[in-house]
Amino acid sequence: MTRADAAYDPAGAAGNAYTAAVNAASSDAATKAATARDAAIASAAQDADTKAGNAQSAAVSAAAASAASLYLPNAIQTVDAYLAGATPSSPRFFGHRGGGMVRPEHTLVGYRSTAAMGFAPEVSVNVDASGELWCHHDLTLDRTTYQTGALNTYTTEEVSQAVLTNGRTLLGPGWTDQRMVPLRQVLDEFLGKIPILLEPKGNDAVVPTQTLLDTSYPHAPRSVIWKAHIGTLSLPWAKTRGYRTWVYLDSNTTDATMDGKDSMVDYWGVATTFTDQRIQQVVARGKPVFAWPVYRRSQVARLTGLGVVGMMSSDPRYVSTNLPQRTFSRWGLAVKESGGTPTLDYDTAYALVFGEGADAGWVSINALPNQSYGLGTYSPIVGSAAGYRIAFDMKYKVLPGATVHGGYYFGKDSDDPYRFTTANASGGYHVVMRASGDMQLYRHTAGVTSGTQIGSTVATTTPVADTAMSFQIDVTPTTVELRRTDSTGWTTGPVADTTYRGGYHGLSNGSITDLSTRPHWRNLAITQL
């Protein structure tokens, strides 16, 4: 009966259905509302996190920029400020390898001296086995340290404690061996104070260098020039970060290759060995051109004449001026002087040899044939109206053959190399002291192999092995005179000759063919007459 009553109660059934529907709809709405609320909360939280992260990044960037501004105020020299106004008549100078022909290359003492003189140092880096970047030109340690093998096979601890540079072999035993220096230390000390030309030399050093700069030195683009070979793939990284780029060429670089990189290059680099024509072609592209390696003033004259505005020099103090640095030698200190110009730079075979022990104070040239060594430290000689005098001692530790000679050259207008029996770029005079005792003066014309004797041959006492002879060269406006002043003394007398009055001079092995018989010199002094 109950079910029947219900069946015959449509209003009641409808009410129940309505109530059930309302309850179901309410439950569904509540579920959807809760889901929507949770989704909205999650979305809002995610958005807040994103915005907070962006705000944090912006704050970090702003703080870094602010710190960089404090660390690199506008008063400190930037790359652009350093190069502003650079022209062939007013070139800029850089310390190639930190001035590596005067101080041990890529060492802290080299960088400090270069920076103290106001020159931007070039810094080459390679990486060790631990991932530390070190200032070092070669991939191996062989050439510039007492160790051998690739740098990237040594740990940081080994490099810092067991590797010393061997600059004494090139620059003289008076030098103290130097430790290698980490790139971080160089950046911490010099970044912002002087521009730095920075180049990772090995491929394995490129990314670590980029990472270090990005992470720890965000302000570096203001004072670092990114230096690289034309074949590099690193230029897009450098340009997107605002670095100035110096890209150097090799003898096989084509114009098409240069065209492909031109938009990412600020300055081009040419070698001093390039022909005049090739250098002029690079200059004609319209971007500043820097040359390397420059260690003679005559190279500066040639390069600026071709339109080059930057000199990458291993001796920037010397090549940036046209003045003598002093008038007497201190060879007993056994330290290479700024302005000393061997036939080849960075080559120990042509380096000036400093005597030790009983030979302390004496120097010699341990290279053949007909080698010389320019004394730019004392050049150009500044005489009085009456002229000047060059005085020095010379000896043969072992006597050569009777007609063989060593000597001294002088009177040159330029510091280009001067070699006996060679067609030199500029002319001058040559002192000849033969082992027989014959003393002579010769004049050499530019471009001519043989010399011309001026004045008479003077027969002096035969030299004695390992015994000093003393000489004076007097140059007046109208005459040249050579004297040997030890013992009783001899002279050519004043020889009337005004052909050359340049102020560059140096040591000459003359016609020596056996290095054991090479001449040695000491006690150089330049005085006015």
Side-chain angles (χ1 to χ4, degrees), residues 93-245:
F93 295 87
F94 305 88
H96 186 248
R97 304 183 190 176
M101 279 293 288
V102 189
R103 295 166 291 277
E105 66 176 73
H106 291 305
T107 59
L108 199 56
V109 66
Y111 296 142
R112 283 174 173 167
S113 296
T114 297
M117 290 183 285
F119 303 117
E122 179 215 23
V123 178
S124 300
V125 295
N126 277 297
V127 67
D128 68 17
S130 306
E132 183 74 35
L133 292 161
W134 294 89
C135 300
H136 188 69
H137 180 274
D138 301 352
L139 298 181
T140 69
L141 299 177
D142 301 38
R143 181 178 63 86
T144 59
T145 80
Y146 297 102
Q147 302 296 335
T148 60
L151 173 61
N152 63 12
T153 64
Y154 287 76
T155 67
T156 297
E157 293 72 26
E158 290 167 343
V159 176
S160 65
Q161 298 302 311
V163 179
L164 292 173
T165 61
N166 62 357
R168 292 158 53 91
T169 59
L170 180 69
L171 305 176
W175 269 98
T176 301
D177 293 330
Q178 304 292 311
R179 293 199 178 278
M180 290 178 60
V181 57
L183 175 60
R184 278 183 177 273
Q185 185 174 355
V186 172
L187 293 175
D188 288 344
E189 182 165 339
F190 300 106
L191 188 62
K193 299 176 182 178
I194 193 76
I196 297 171
L197 282 85
L198 179 61
E199 180 187 15
K201 298 298 288 189
N203 290 335
D204 57 349
V206 175
V207 172
T209 303
Q210 293 171 335
T211 301
L212 176 64
L213 293 174
D214 282 344
T215 303
S216 301
Y217 304 95
H219 49 294
R222 296 184 62 191
S223 56
V224 168
I225 297 175
W226 186 257
K227 175 176 175 281
H229 179 260
I230 184 68
T232 185
L233 300 177
S234 66
L235 295 181
W237 171 89
K239 296 310 296 180
T240 58
R241 284 156 176 78
Y243 286 94
R244 295 287 187 260
T245 58

Side-chain angles (χ1 to χ4, degrees), residues 117-439:
M117 290 183 285
F119 303 117
E122 179 215 23
V123 178
S124 300
V125 295
N126 277 297
V127 67
D128 68 17
S130 306
E132 183 74 35
L133 292 161
W134 294 89
C135 300
H136 188 69
H137 180 274
D138 301 352
L139 298 181
T140 69
L141 299 177
D142 301 38
R143 181 178 63 86
T144 59
T145 80
Y146 297 102
Q147 302 296 335
T148 60
L151 173 61
N152 63 12
T153 64
Y154 287 76
T155 67
T156 297
E157 293 72 26
E158 290 167 343
V159 176
S160 65
Q161 298 302 311
V163 179
L164 292 173
T165 61
N166 62 357
R168 292 158 53 91
T169 59
L170 180 69
L171 305 176
W175 269 98
T176 301
D177 293 330
Q178 304 292 311
R179 293 199 178 278
M180 290 178 60
V181 57
L183 175 60
R184 278 183 177 273
Q185 185 174 355
V186 172
L187 293 175
D188 288 344
E189 182 165 339
F190 300 106
L191 188 62
K193 299 176 182 178
I194 193 76
I196 297 171
L197 282 85
L198 179 61
E199 180 187 15
K201 298 298 288 189
N203 290 335
D204 57 349
V206 175
V207 172
T209 303
Q210 293 171 335
T211 301
L212 176 64
L213 293 174
D214 282 344
T215 303
S216 301
Y217 304 95
H219 49 294
R222 296 184 62 191
S223 56
V224 168
I225 297 175
W226 186 257
K227 175 176 175 281
H229 179 260
I230 184 68
T232 185
L233 300 177
S234 66
L235 295 181
W237 171 89
K239 296 310 296 180
T240 58
R241 284 156 176 78
Y243 286 94
R244 295 287 187 260
T245 58
W246 182 65
V247 176
Y248 58 95
L249 315 177
D250 58 47
S251 58
N252 297 317
T253 302
T254 65
D255 288 341
T257 301
M258 295 177 70
D259 291 341
K261 297 287 181 72
D262 190 81
S263 63
M264 295 181 288
V265 175
D266 293 292
Y267 323 109
W268 290 112
V270 296
T272 55
T273 54
F274 285 10
T275 65
D276 288 3
Q277 180 183 18
R278 183 53 175 153
I279 293 175
Q280 288 173 322
Q281 289 172 345
V282 178
V283 169
R285 298 180 72 93
K287 292 185 176 180
V289 176
F290 306 162
W292 94 97
V294 179
Y295 75 110
R296 296 180 185 271
R297 290 170 177 168
S298 53
Q299 292 174 316
V300 175
R302 173 199 172 220
L303 293 164
T304 54
L306 297 173
V308 175
V309 301
M311 305 294 156
M312 189 81 69
S313 174
S314 55
D315 191 355
R317 174 173 53 195
Y318 169 66
V319 302
S320 64
T321 72
N322 286 302
L323 299 172
Q325 297 178 48
R326 64 180 178 192
T327 58
F328 59 92
S329 64
R330 293 189 183 277
W331 292 331
L333 298 177
V335 173
K336 182 184 182 296
E337 303 159 313
S338 169
T341 52
T343 299
L344 295 177
D345 59 345
Y346 292 117
D347 192 328
T348 56
Y350 297 92
L352 195 65
V353 177
F354 293 90
E356 299 184 76
D359 287 325
W362 291 91
V363 296
S364 63
I365 308 165
N366 195 34
L368 294 173
N370 313 122
Q371 294 300 322
S372 65
Y373 187 91
L375 298 173
T377 313
Y378 315 88
S379 303
I381 295 174
V382 178
S384 67
Y388 63 84
R389 171 175 293 166
I390 304 172
F392 59 92
D393 293 340
M394 190 178 93
K395 72 175 181 179
Y396 298 104
K397 285 185 67 66
V398 177
L399 291 179
T403 61
V404 176
H405 74 272
Y408 199 97
Y409 70 85
F410 63 100
K412 285 170 57 67
D413 287 325
S414 168
D415 69 350
D416 59 89
Y418 187 89
R419 296 174 64 185
F420 188 73
T421 67
T422 300
N424 300 304
S426 62
Y429 300 103
H430 191 104
V431 170
V432 167
M433 185 64 224
R434 301 188 190 277
S436 65
D438 285 351
M439 183 176 73

